Amino acid sequence: MSSVRICPSILNADRQNLSSEILRIASVSDLLHLDVMDNKFVPNFTFSFEEAVHIIEQSPLAVDSHLMISDPDIQAPLYAEHGSASVTFHLEAASDVKSLISNIASNGARVGIAIKPGTPFSSVEPFMADIDMLLVMTVEPGFGGQKFMSDMMPKVAAARSWILANQLNDLWLQVDGGISLATINEATLSGADTFVAGSAVFNSPEPAVMVRDIRLAAEKCRTA
Ligand code: DX5
Ligand code: ZN
């Protein structure tokens, strides 16, 4: 079994042919990363709730929903209820974080919390023991194809140190934004083990080969 997880984002895939795009990477990927944006929490819109549920229900690959929405307290548990394997909400948008965590978990999904570049690790630390994944954003959420923010690596390293110190080995540490063959080593060496890659995968002529190459690079770093 691989020690890392690769989660291709379909944000910049061909929206008219999503099911065939998903099929191109399904057999080599761990989760399908679904970026839901509401044009309120971020200045971009991707999928309505109904469209997102349709993708979750049709996907041959388990879905990792990344909710960049302003009302996760109400909406996030519904993604779990509709079969998303993992549901990640933004700490900055949630009102009652503890209740939201249990409302997602009670619907059978893994629970993730995402933090934007300006949000310190200390803000999420009180919730770490109750979640399944921390997502440290390595770009400002909103758009694919942005430059990887190396200055987020100390935050990733702080999260990894906390996970090790507290022996929460099942807590995944995800990075999202600008992940490619050029940045995977840095992200892995900082302590990430779960990687979202959008444009690097879908702008590649062979997306499945790119997923494999990113995975191999990350595995090599983790065993180095
Ligand atoms: C940004 C999204 C990311 C992003 C990934 O708000 O959460 O998932 O689209 O795309 P790349 O890999 O192109 O940065
Ligand atoms: Zn994302």
Side-chain angles (χ1 to χ4, degrees):
M1 215 181 83
S2 184
S3 61
V4 302
R5 284 156 292 271
I6 312 296
C7 317
S9 160
I10 49 170
L11 184 59
N12 282 353
D14 179 358
R15 290 283 294 269
Q16 303 311 313
N17 294 296
L18 267 190
S19 42
S20 58
E21 290 282 81
I22 295 169
L23 278 179
R24 295 174 84 187
I25 48 87
S27 67
V28 293
S29 304
D30 296 280
L31 291 160
L32 181 74
H33 185 82
L34 182 64
D35 287 305
V36 181
M37 305 186 188
D38 66 353
N39 205 19
K40 289 187 197 132
F41 182 69
V42 289
N44 193 7
F45 182 87
T46 53
F47 306 105
S48 67
F49 174 70
E50 291 72 20
E51 288 169 327
V53 166
H54 182 73
I55 294 169
I56 292 165
E57 288 174 350
Q58 302 294 314
S59 174
L61 189 56
V63 173
D64 166 35
S65 297
H66 175 195
L67 306 181
M68 288 159 275
I69 60 174
S70 58
D71 58 347
D73 293 74
I74 298 163
Q75 295 247 337
L78 300 176
Y79 280 81
E81 198 182 305
H82 282 83
S84 184
S86 174
V87 178
T88 299
F89 63 89
H90 269 268
L91 183 67
E92 302 87 0
S95 316
D96 182 347
V97 176
K98 285 262 179 201
S99 303
L100 182 45
I101 291 169
S102 65
N103 290 341
I104 294 170
S106 66
N107 278 291
R110 290 180 63 93
V111 183
I113 296 186
I115 50 175
K116 298 206 285 185
T119 303
F121 174 66
S122 58
S123 304
V124 77
E125 197 179 332
F127 309 108
M128 286 286 281
D130 301 319
I131 62 177
D132 301 295
M133 182 168 83
L134 174 66
L135 164 51
V136 175
M137 291 301 299
T138 43
V139 296
E140 279 299 337
F143 300 92
Q146 302 183 76
K147 189 173 179 290
F148 177 77
M149 296 171 70
S150 285
D151 52 343
M152 292 300 114
M153 294 304 96
K155 201 197 300 194
V156 172
R160 174 54 65 201
S161 299
W162 190 97
I163 291 168
L164 287 172
N166 290 276
Q167 297 182 317
L168 289 174
N169 303 326
D170 295 330
L171 206 170
W172 298 352
L173 181 50
Q174 188 177 54
V175 283
D176 180 9
I179 297 296
S180 70
L181 284 177
T183 58
I184 187 72
N185 289 6
E186 192 180 345
T188 309
L189 291 171
S190 299
D193 59 11
T194 304
F195 305 91
V196 176
S199 45
V201 169
F202 284 103
N203 289 348
S204 155
E206 292 189 82
V209 173
M210 182 55 72
V211 170
R212 274 197 210 108
D213 288 350
I214 291 175
R215 183 192 303 283
L216 285 174
E219 282 173 344
K220 212 166 152 193
C221 276
R222 281 181 71 82
T223 52

